[in-house]
Amino acid sequence: MNLHGIWAIYRFEMARSLRTLWQSLVGPVLTTSLYFVVFGGAIGSRMQSVDGVSYGSFIVPGLIMLSLLTQSVGNASIGIYFPKFTGTIFELLSAPISTMELVIGYVGAAATKSVVIGSIILATSAFFVPVVVEHPLAMIAFLLLTSIAFSLFGFILGIWANSFEQLNFVPLLLITPLTFLGGSFYSIDMLPQPWRTISLFNPVVYLVSGFRWSFFGRGDVDIALSLGVTLGFLIACLAVIGWIFKSGWRLKS
């Protein structure tokens, strides 16, 4: 294991985030605060509780998951896209570092940044609503698994993209809508049929439900199913990345 190579990539990616600290940390915190003002204040005053939980507290897991998904995908995709854009990807491919070590460096940095932002948003939430985590170990597990899984997905996206427009296409038109429609701000049990059944085809529903279960001990779907979907998505992303480096797709062109 080339630990020096992994550390070099990881340190470079983390240093890049520090250079854009305002965008990386302050932006998501301000956005989350606005969500609490709008949703927690305006809607929460009319909707007292959901499944026995005050609406302001109910949306905390969804807000964290919204930031977690967008930040994981964005950080990982831009991290690997820039070497392609500048042509330094060939130096990475010819360096004495394996595919696994390369992925660990980039995905590890992206996941770390996402976990930090998620933790800051969780701490920020405590200033607006009471936050209680009934299953802290499960919360940490979902936080880490989701960050890693979507950082892997972002890594794939960064390799696939040939322009900044393509790089922003998937997060803007896929990740964000799926998160909003995945029960981040409501319980899918509140939906009439057939919309509730249709919602179950949205993979983000299982991520949000599992994460919410770690806070309140209840979710829209079974916790084991939520964990299985999260792990399945992570494994699928690993398989795709393995194929990409084996075939050289979009890496050498």
Side-chain angles (χ1 to χ4, degrees):
M1 181 71 73
N2 188 349
L3 297 178
H4 180 75
I6 295 174
W7 174 246
I9 295 173
Y10 181 88
R11 184 177 58 184
F12 177 82
E13 285 299 300
M14 294 303 294
R16 181 172 59 82
S17 292
L18 292 177
R19 292 194 297 268
T20 58
L21 188 63
W22 180 268
Q23 178 183 353
S24 300
L25 294 180
V26 180
V29 171
L30 288 177
T31 302
T32 302
S33 300
L34 289 175
Y35 275 124
F36 274 113
V37 171
V38 175
F39 285 90
I43 299 179
S45 61
R46 298 176 178 271
M47 186 183 299
Q48 296 300 318
S49 65
V50 179
D51 293 335
V53 180
S54 66
Y55 185 73
S57 299
F58 179 83
I59 64 174
V60 170
L63 286 175
I64 296 174
M65 191 59 66
L66 175 62
S67 296
L68 207 65
L69 299 188
T70 54
Q71 291 294 321
S72 296
V73 172
N75 288 326
S77 61
I78 201 70
I80 192 61
Y81 177 77
F82 261 115
K84 285 182 55 185
F85 180 73
T86 59
T88 55
I89 186 70
F90 300 105
E91 297 178 8
L92 285 172
L93 294 175
S94 60
I97 185 170
S98 68
T99 299
M100 180 180 67
E101 293 161 353
L102 186 70
V103 172
I104 290 175
Y106 278 107
V107 171
T112 299
K113 288 180 279 189
S114 299
V115 169
V116 169
I117 290 174
S119 301
I120 292 175
I121 292 175
L122 177 60
T124 304
S125 304
F127 290 99
F128 294 91
V129 294
V131 177
V132 178
V133 182
E134 291 190 10
H135 306 281
L137 292 180
M139 188 271 287
I140 294 172
F142 269 100
L143 194 68
L144 293 175
L145 286 174
T146 303
S147 298
I148 294 171
F150 275 82
S151 293
L152 289 168
F153 180 73
F155 190 86
I156 297 171
L157 176 61
I159 294 175
W160 165 79
N162 283 326
S163 64
F164 285 101
E165 288 77 13
Q166 289 184 344
L167 198 66
N168 294 320
F169 175 80
V170 173
L172 182 64
L173 297 181
L174 182 64
I175 300 299
T176 301
L178 285 180
T179 306
F180 273 95
L181 297 174
S184 295
F185 301 104
Y186 58 89
S187 170
I188 65 170
D189 290 333
M190 301 168 65
L191 298 175
Q193 291 292 358
W195 298 111
R196 187 188 184 282
T197 301
I198 293 174
S199 295
L200 294 176
F201 290 94
N202 180 356
V204 178
V205 166
Y206 302 91
L207 304 179
V208 174
S209 176
F211 198 55
R212 183 170 286 135
W213 178 89
S214 69
F215 279 77
F216 312 120
R218 59 178 68 88
D220 294 327
V221 295
D222 186 76
I223 181 61
L225 183 58
S226 296
L227 183 60
V229 170
T230 306
L231 287 173
F233 182 71
L234 190 153
I235 294 170
C237 288
L238 284 174
V240 171
I241 290 174
W243 172 80
I244 287 174
F245 278 94
K246 184 177 181 179
S247 63
W249 180 75
R250 292 287 179 106
L251 288 173
K252 301 176 182 180
S253 60

